[in-house]
Amino acid sequence: MRSLIVANWKMYPTLPDSIVLAGEVKKAIEHLQGTEIVIAPPPCWLVPVVEHWGHQLPHVHFAAQNVWPEDQGAFTGETSVYMLKNLIHYAIVGHSERRRLLGESDELINEKVLACLKWHIRPIVCVGEEKKVSDLATSQNRVWGKLIEQLLAGVAGVVHERIDQVVIAYEPLWAIGGVESAQPEYAGKVIALLRSHLAKKYGPLVAERIQILYGGSVTAQNAADMLRQKGINGLLCGSNSLKAKDFAKICELAGKIGA
Ligand code: PGA
């Protein structure tokens, strides 16, 4: 399985910034065929960035930062998977910023996941605990219970045959924002916990094939240690995906270390 590296540009670059960044990123990653790379520009710049990108590279795809589950209708300000389906291969779904700031529920996130699968778009479902806890000790069962709930609610109704189209991104909320990433061993353990619950639902062989990423203050410096953890199949990068050289370095490390 190739590692998957996702760039979430959030609401940072303006249109001219996005075009310049896309050009720099393309130049820096076009030779890195050993890694699957996904770029999520701000929604309003998705079309100009894809158009400017020009010649498609087989290992690079675009993602939406969010989608709406209905195909068409009176949903002011929203964009459906159906409308984006020819532009994107992936969609970030349930990012913690949307859960926290816009009150997105597990049910809505699940509808988005199912809509993505209906249109053959791979959803990247974000889950993560709010507060930093010291370890996976049973005293913290409430925290882990909530995390598992997010995971299982997100994939509710996804059949065995389709679950490997779903990507899970484990993003502890306290680690997002470029200040402090989780320790690689900690992230590895939580991801193993998530996978064990997917194994209970889908069986161990299927669960092994589900890509689970780590996200939260990923840098060119900590990426290798994260990717060396068993079960971490890739990374979701925010702030550092806005620096073409750092992002390319992360993609290069992913190609060398593998998933
Ligand atoms: P960060 O963001 O890399 O800036 O922490 C990650 C994310 O929110 O997806």
Side-chain angles (χ1 to χ4, degrees), residues 37-58:
I37 300 167
V38 174
I39 300 171
C44 47
W45 313 141
L46 183 61
V47 171
V49 166
V50 171
E51 279 175 357
H52 180 81
W53 190 268
H55 171 68
Q56 295 293 312
L57 302 169

Side-chain angles (χ1 to χ4, degrees), residues 16 20 23 25-26 34 44-45 54 64 69 73 98 115 127 129 144 147 149 156 159 181 188 197 223 230 245 257:
V20 170
V25 169
K26 187 173 186 184
C44 47
W45 313 141
R98 298 193 62 84
V127 298
E129 78 279 12
W144 305 121
L147 180 76
E149 228 175 270
V159 293
S181 80
H197 283 268
K230 190 173 169 299
K245 273 197 186 143
I257 296 168

Side-chain angles (χ1 to χ4, degrees), residues 236-247:
L236 200 169
C237 314
S239 359
N240 282 293
S241 69
L242 299 166
K243 303 173 197 156
K245 273 197 186 143
D246 285 29
F247 182 66

Side-chain angles (χ1 to χ4, degrees), residues 30-206:
E30 54 195 348
H31 61 289
L32 300 175
Q33 313 241 338
T35 311
E36 173 103 351
I37 300 167
V38 174
I39 300 171
C44 47
W45 313 141
L46 183 61
V47 171
V49 166
V50 171
E51 279 175 357
H52 180 81
W53 190 268
H55 171 68
Q56 295 293 312
L57 302 169
H59 61 297
V60 183
H61 300 290
F62 289 94
Q65 291 184 14
N66 174 46
V67 285
W68 189 253
E70 311 287 336
D71 291 347
Q72 289 172 299
F75 300 102
T76 304
E78 294 295 338
T79 313
S80 65
V81 189
Y82 169 72
M83 287 175 169
L84 292 170
K85 67 183 175 11
N86 297 325
L87 278 174
I88 56 169
H89 278 72
Y90 291 81
I92 299 173
V93 167
H95 191 281
S96 62
E97 284 149 15
R98 298 193 62 84
R99 289 183 191 260
R100 187 167 50 85
L101 299 169
L102 300 162
E104 284 201 7
S105 67
D106 285 341
E107 291 70 27
L108 177 61
I109 291 161
N110 178 242
E111 283 179 43
K112 294 181 179 192
V113 169
L114 298 176
C116 285
L117 294 176
K118 173 177 148 195
W119 292 110
H120 303 282
I121 301 301
R122 298 190 71 192
I124 302 170
V125 188
C126 302
V127 298
E129 78 279 12
E130 272 170 44
K131 291 219 174 78
K132 189 174 177 182
V133 292
S134 52
D135 52 30
L136 296 186
T138 44
S139 59
Q140 307 295 347
N141 266 353
R142 223 167 45 88
V143 173
W144 305 121
K146 214 169 149 210
L147 180 76
I148 303 305
E149 228 175 270
Q150 279 185 352
L151 171 75
L152 297 178
V155 299
V158 179
V159 293
H160 276 69
E161 294 71 30
R162 304 296 305 281
I163 188 63
D164 62 359
Q165 292 303 297
V166 175
V167 179
I168 306 295
Y170 166 57
E171 298 206 300
L173 272 62
W174 52 267
I176 293 179
V179 181
E180 177 195 19
S181 80
Q183 287 301 313
E185 299 73 28
Y186 176 94
K189 277 187 195 165
V190 180
I191 285 176
L193 175 74
L194 294 172
R195 203 181 295 281
S196 72
H197 283 268
L198 291 169
K200 272 189 208 156
K201 187 172 160 84
Y202 293 103
L205 287 180
V206 174

